[in-house]
Amino acid sequence: MRVLILGGDGYLGWPTAMHFSRMGHDVHLVDNELRRRAHRENGTDSMTPIAGSLGARVLAWKEVSGNDIGLTMGDLCDPTVVEAVIRAFRPEVIIHYGEMPSAPYSMASRAHAVFTQYNNVVGTLNVLFAMRDLAPDSHMVKLGTMGEYGTPNIDIEEGFIEIEHRGRSDTLPYPKQPGSFYHASKVHDSVNIQLACRIWELRATDLNQGVVYGIHTEDTRRDDRLLTRFDYDEIFGTTLNRFCLQAVIGHPLTVYGSGGQTRGYLNILDTIQCVELAATNPPGPGEYRVFNQFTEQFTVLELAELVARAGKEVGLQVTIDHVDNPRIEAESHYYRAANTHLLDLGLRPRYLSETLIESVFDVIRRYRDRVITEHILPRTRWRPAERQPAPS
Amino acid sequence: MRVLILGGDGYLGWPTAMHFSRMGHDVHLVDNELRRRAHRENGTDSMTPIAGSLGARVLAWKEVSGNDIGLTMGDLCDPTVVEAVIRAFRPEVIIHYGEMPSAPYSMASRAHAVFTQYNNVVGTLNVLFAMRDLAPDSHMVKLGTMGEYGTPNIDIEEGFIEIEHRGRSDTLPYPKQPGSFYHASKVHDSVNIQLACRIWELRATDLNQGVVYGIHTEDTRRDDRLLTRFDYDEIFGTTLNRFCLQAVIGHPLTVYGSGGQTRGYLNILDTIQCVELAATNPPGPGEYRVFNQFTEQFTVLELAELVARAGKEVGLQVTIDHVDNPRIEAESHYYRAANTHLLDLGLRPRYLSETLIESVFDVIRRYRDRVITEHILPRTRWRPAERQPAPS
């Protein structure tokens, strides 16, 4: 298959690119290194010393694997970039990771919120119109987020829910309650993609993904130049990866609030497996389908305790700190989300284990001197402490 | 009250401004004359000869009523405009009509879709952040649309629905199925406004309005310079107003498809009444509430037949044409939407009647020589007839 990967320089995009290339597909990447620039602006960096550019990664991959990966450096918000690459590459699958992915980033200021929504919504609209005009049979595999659903007091279904109401019934889009302007941008995308599939008969799979953890895939292990990024800072770091890093460097595990927040999680290896299952089992024309992409549910405190136990096994002194929650979110809530669609397609989950955590510890130990500790604690607050009062 | 009206130059914005001014409120308008520019670009115009600028309208209003209305010419997408006006005027109510309001406009091309969503989403985000920082106790009265809901096979409730599912229940945002990128932009706004209310304790009322008809209000009758606009073209015209105009000029009434599309409708006088009821009965801090703002439901064919009957009464020869539907929408569907919240606040509806239609005929007769007939038939198609094939 001709597989176009948007956001091919990211934590998930790069390992996905290598996987599809190794499996014999024709792979082309688009990226504008937005994440690298955001890190430079913040004074932060990936813990893993990733290759200096996406171009360098592609060259290293060629050397290690013998396979070519195509590359377009450009911004999805520029329609001429999107149209040129789709016209020339004629993708059969478009795996769309190419968005600004951080909730705290989107909450930092008006400009950050506007940029996140502009970047994500306009980039996706540009891809949809280019599909309509240049690749109407291609299949968009879009990375959404479980955060679109929020924490409703009923079971979360996969994108749609049958509602019985006053004696009638219909299957309707599952109600969305995003918790940040970033999560809202993914909700906006879902609405736009669903509309495009309905009116233009496009094909799309929206993968509402949980929180991903892990460092290595089969391909990242082959050469240091093939490492994927590993973020732990308050803006781009995610729960379990950050806890593992904190355990290794002797930093208290920072649980936000009581830690009762329940979310879905999955191994980075399962992300790749899920994306591959979606890509190789496309929907029909006009079909917009949603898969909830996670393998297990945990509370934040459960994860902290799991990391602490694993740390103790290997001789680390691990403490848990409950820090003021910078977010506005329920810390104690019902949470039960369906995730059978990908299992039905053949997903074989790698469940979280102390062994896995210990293997992550090992990689972190190797790079612990690169950690910038002052960017670990959360500073971006959903509700700014000081409101500027109206002048009187 | 200090009432800030965003989009004060529009079909509804201008009559709303005069109404609040006449009722003794302190009124300030923001507009960038986007609609006037879009008409100039299309080669179309309002049927009514509105004053040459919003500034001229404000001067005429001062002369006729003795009342001052403040005015800022500027773009809501420019945060410095939004912040400056909110800082200086300190609004208690912000009535937000300031968006690109056309479904066909948004479907005309990629650039039109992107502009519509950018303009509406970013403008509203800018207002929300300015409220947070400069007017946290003010109340946003936002014009949404009944088109956010689409045409589900169950009753449409007002913004939220209680769902029972697998033995549990929750009241959740009503599922949205917008039918154009314009309608989708209003869905995006609703998501963002609801989030802002929850995390920052802002107050907002989302008025999911039906299709508005009518020309005159108490104030527009007082002086020709106070007329509001009346659009009938394929881009900005709406069903009933367009049918009335077609009846007067001897053009067949253009029913899209079978005409079984059912929607909610209301008189322009009731729009003003509803906005006033929302403004004078504000929600509490943190409350995001939704009112469905229409008074009656009709199918498109019912409206055409009503206009034809009214035309016959006054000696017009009226025919009905079923033209190819340019939209992708159900032409035969269940539709029953709740609209009790505004009635509970005291709304006294003016229902549609042949008498009302005949009074609209009278105004149209006066301006019939201004009608540009070549822009009446729909040309903007939801699904372009020719898809550009991928190069082989």
Side-chain angles (χ1 to χ4, degrees):
Chain A
M1 291 189 299
R2 289 185 301 277
V3 181
L4 181 64
I5 301 179
L6 310 176
D9 194 41
Y11 171 52
L12 303 174
W14 175 238
T16 302
M18 292 190 287
H19 177 82
F20 277 88
S21 175
R22 178 166 45 78
M23 300 301 287
H25 301 290
D26 188 2
V27 176
H28 193 96
L29 313 182
V30 181
D31 209 293
N32 64 347
E33 298 193 337
L34 174 59
R35 178 83 77 97
R36 292 178 190 247
R37 281 181 281 129
H39 272 284
R40 277 197 289 275
E41 284 165 17
N42 291 343
T44 52
D45 200 0
S46 166
M47 179 200 72
T48 45
I50 59 173
S53 70
L54 182 51
R57 288 176 146 176
V58 165
L59 286 173
W61 175 249
K62 169 75 172 172
E63 195 183 307
V64 171
S65 73
N67 293 345
D68 286 305
I69 288 180
L71 175 57
T72 298
M73 298 307 296
D75 186 348
L76 300 178
C77 291
D78 179 348
T80 64
V81 168
V82 176
E83 289 162 13
V85 75
I86 288 182
R87 193 185 301 269
F89 185 64
R90 295 178 295 132
E92 289 154 294
V93 184
I94 300 172
I95 301 173
H96 182 11
Y97 293 108
E99 302 207 325
M100 172 53 82
S102 165
Y105 182 93
S106 76
M107 302 306 290
S109 74
R110 184 205 64 80
H112 289 77
V114 166
F115 176 76
T116 299
Q117 296 208 346
Y118 168 81
N119 182 71
N120 295 359
V121 170
V122 173
T124 299
L125 282 175
N126 285 345
V127 175
L128 292 169
F129 275 87
M131 287 172 66
R132 181 194 71 171
D133 294 334
L134 302 167
D137 293 320
S138 66
H139 167 207
M140 176 188 277
V141 178
K142 167 66 164 49
L143 272 290
T145 164
M146 288 298 293
E148 294 184 32
Y149 300 116
T151 54
N153 194 39
I154 58 173
D155 287 9
I156 294 171
E157 303 300 333
E158 302 196 60
F160 298 89
I161 181 170
E162 185 177 355
I163 300 177
E164 302 212 1
H165 185 56
R166 299 180 190 274
R168 303 181 62 87
S169 77
D170 199 358
T171 298
L172 295 171
Y174 196 95
K176 301 293 179 71
Q177 298 183 108
S180 74
F181 289 112
Y182 155 69
H183 291 101
S185 77
K186 295 281 195 180
V187 174
H188 305 342
D189 281 340
S190 297
V191 169
N192 286 340
I193 296 168
Q194 185 171 4
L195 174 64
C197 288
R198 185 162 65 76
I199 60 178
W200 299 330
E201 297 186 339
L202 301 182
R203 308 162 193 259
T205 305
D206 209 340
L207 298 173
N208 281 349
Q209 185 168 249
V211 184
V212 185
Y213 57 82
I215 296 186
H216 269 315
T217 67
E218 184 174 338
D219 300 300
T220 62
R221 292 181 201 283
R222 293 169 74 177
D223 189 295
D224 274 0
R225 295 169 298 168
L226 303 181
L227 283 168
T228 194
R229 62 180 314 116
F230 185 91
D231 292 323
Y232 57 89
D233 60 283
E234 63 132 355
I235 301 295
F236 293 107
T238 49
T239 312
L240 184 55
N241 283 353
R242 193 180 65 238
F243 286 165
C244 290
L245 181 134
Q246 289 170 328
V248 170
I249 68 169
H251 191 293
L253 309 192
T254 47
V255 169
Y256 293 176
S258 70
Q261 305 93 316
T262 305
R263 300 288 185 271
Y265 290 82
L266 74 165
N267 191 307
I268 189 171
L269 297 167
D270 288 344
T271 291
I272 293 169
Q273 198 189 161
C274 290
V275 168
E276 186 173 26
L277 285 167
T280 52
N281 295 276
E287 189 182 345
Y288 168 78
R289 64 184 184 182
V290 181
F291 298 162
N292 291 347
Q293 180 164 310
F294 69 94
T295 59
E296 295 171 277
Q297 293 187 180
F298 299 100
T299 69
V300 171
L301 191 57
E302 282 169 352
L303 287 180
E305 287 167 348
L306 185 61
V307 170
R309 277 200 304 279
K312 201 172 169 190
E313 288 288 323
V314 297
L316 294 170
Q317 297 281 349
V318 181
T319 59
I320 295 175
D321 257 17
H322 291 267
V323 302
D324 256 6
N325 194 340
R327 306 185 177 209
I328 307 291
E329 62 184 2
E331 294 180 5
S332 170
H333 59 89
Y334 180 76
Y335 198 81
R336 186 159 176 274
N339 63 347
T340 57
H341 289 355
L342 282 158
L343 294 168
D344 291 345
L345 285 179
L347 172 67
R348 288 178 304 169
R350 283 86 160 184
Y351 294 114
L352 183 57
S353 66
E354 289 190 28
T355 313
L356 180 279
I357 290 175
E358 289 165 21
S359 76
V360 174
F361 287 164
D362 287 341
V363 184
I364 293 170
R365 265 198 207 91
R366 213 179 133 193
Y367 300 115
R368 58 176 298 166
D369 291 346
R370 290 176 46 87
V371 175
I372 305 165
T373 51
E374 56 264 41
H375 288 289
I376 293 178
L377 285 175
R379 283 184 292 201
T380 305
R381 305 193 72 80
W382 264 230
R383 190 181 293 167
E386 302 278 334
R387 273 181 177 166
Q388 200 173 339
S392 59
Chain B
M1 293 189 296
R2 288 185 302 278
V3 180
L4 181 64
I5 300 178
L6 310 176
D9 195 39
Y11 171 52
L12 303 174
W14 175 239
T16 303
M18 291 190 288
H19 178 82
F20 276 88
S21 176
R22 178 166 45 77
M23 299 301 285
H25 300 291
D26 188 2
V27 176
H28 192 97
L29 313 182
V30 180
D31 209 293
N32 64 346
E33 297 193 339
L34 173 59
R35 178 83 75 96
R36 293 177 188 248
R37 280 181 283 130
H39 272 284
R40 277 195 290 274
E41 285 164 18
N42 290 343
T44 51
D45 199 359
S46 166
M47 179 200 71
T48 45
I50 59 173
S53 69
L54 182 52
R57 288 176 146 178
V58 165
L59 286 173
W61 175 248
K62 169 73 173 176
E63 195 183 307
V64 171
S65 73
N67 293 347
D68 286 303
I69 288 179
L71 175 57
T72 297
M73 298 307 297
D75 186 349
L76 299 178
C77 291
D78 179 348
T80 63
V81 168
V82 175
E83 288 162 14
V85 75
I86 288 181
R87 193 186 300 271
F89 185 64
R90 295 178 295 129
E92 289 154 295
V93 183
I94 300 173
I95 301 172
H96 183 10
Y97 293 107
E99 302 205 326
M100 173 53 81
S102 165
Y105 182 94
S106 76
M107 303 307 289
S109 75
R110 184 207 65 81
H112 288 79
V114 166
F115 176 76
T116 298
Q117 295 209 347
Y118 168 81
N119 183 71
N120 295 358
V121 170
V122 173
T124 299
L125 282 174
N126 285 345
V127 175
L128 291 169
F129 274 87
M131 287 172 66
R132 179 193 75 170
D133 293 335
L134 302 166
D137 293 320
S138 67
H139 167 208
M140 176 189 276
V141 178
K142 168 67 165 50
L143 273 288
T145 165
M146 287 298 293
E148 295 184 32
Y149 300 116
T151 54
N153 194 38
I154 58 172
D155 288 8
I156 294 170
E157 303 299 333
E158 303 197 58
F160 297 88
I161 181 170
E162 185 176 355
I163 300 177
E164 303 212 1
H165 185 58
R166 299 180 191 275
R168 304 181 60 87
S169 76
D170 199 357
T171 299
L172 295 171
Y174 195 96
K176 300 294 179 71
Q177 298 184 110
S180 74
F181 289 112
Y182 155 69
H183 290 102
S185 78
K186 295 282 194 179
V187 174
H188 305 341
D189 281 341
S190 296
V191 168
N192 286 340
I193 297 168
Q194 185 171 6
L195 174 63
C197 287
R198 185 162 65 78
I199 60 178
W200 298 331
E201 298 187 336
L202 301 182
R203 308 162 193 258
T205 304
D206 210 340
L207 298 173
N208 281 351
Q209 187 169 246
V211 184
V212 184
Y213 58 82
I215 297 186
H216 269 316
T217 68
E218 185 175 337
D219 300 301
T220 62
R221 291 182 201 281
R222 291 169 75 176
D223 189 296
D224 274 2
R225 295 169 299 169
L226 303 181
L227 282 167
T228 195
R229 64 178 315 116
F230 185 92
D231 291 323
Y232 58 88
D233 60 283
E234 64 132 355
I235 301 294
F236 293 108
T238 49
T239 312
L240 184 55
N241 284 352
R242 193 181 65 238
F243 285 166
C244 289
L245 181 134
Q246 289 170 328
V248 170
I249 68 170
H251 190 294
L253 310 193
T254 47
V255 169
Y256 293 176
S258 70
Q261 305 92 318
T262 304
R263 299 289 185 271
Y265 289 81
L266 74 164
N267 191 305
I268 188 170
L269 297 167
D270 288 345
T271 292
I272 294 170
Q273 198 188 161
C274 290
V275 168
E276 185 173 27
L277 284 168
T280 53
N281 295 278
E287 190 182 345
Y288 168 77
R289 64 183 184 183
V290 180
F291 298 161
N292 291 347
Q293 181 164 311
F294 69 95
T295 59
E296 295 171 278
Q297 293 187 181
F298 298 100
T299 69
V300 170
L301 191 57
E302 282 170 350
L303 287 179
E305 288 168 347
L306 185 60
V307 170
R309 276 200 303 278
K312 200 171 172 191
E313 288 288 322
V314 298
L316 295 169
Q317 297 281 350
V318 182
T319 59
I320 295 174
D321 257 17
H322 290 268
V323 302
D324 255 6
N325 194 341
R327 307 186 176 208
I328 306 291
E329 62 184 2
E331 294 180 6
S332 170
H333 58 88
Y334 180 75
Y335 199 81
R336 185 158 176 274
N339 63 348
T340 58
H341 288 354
L342 282 159
L343 294 168
D344 291 345
L345 285 179
L347 173 66
R348 287 179 302 170
R350 282 87 159 185
Y351 294 115
L352 183 57
S353 66
E354 290 189 28
T355 313
L356 180 277
I357 290 175
E358 290 166 21
S359 77
V360 173
F361 287 164
D362 288 339
V363 184
I364 293 170
R365 267 199 205 92
R366 213 178 134 192
Y367 300 113
R368 58 176 298 167
D369 291 345
R370 290 176 48 87
V371 175
I372 305 165
T373 51
E374 55 264 42
H375 289 289
I376 293 178
L377 284 175
R379 283 184 293 201
T380 307
R381 304 192 72 80
W382 265 230
R383 189 181 294 167
E386 302 281 332
R387 272 179 178 168
Q388 201 173 340
S392 58

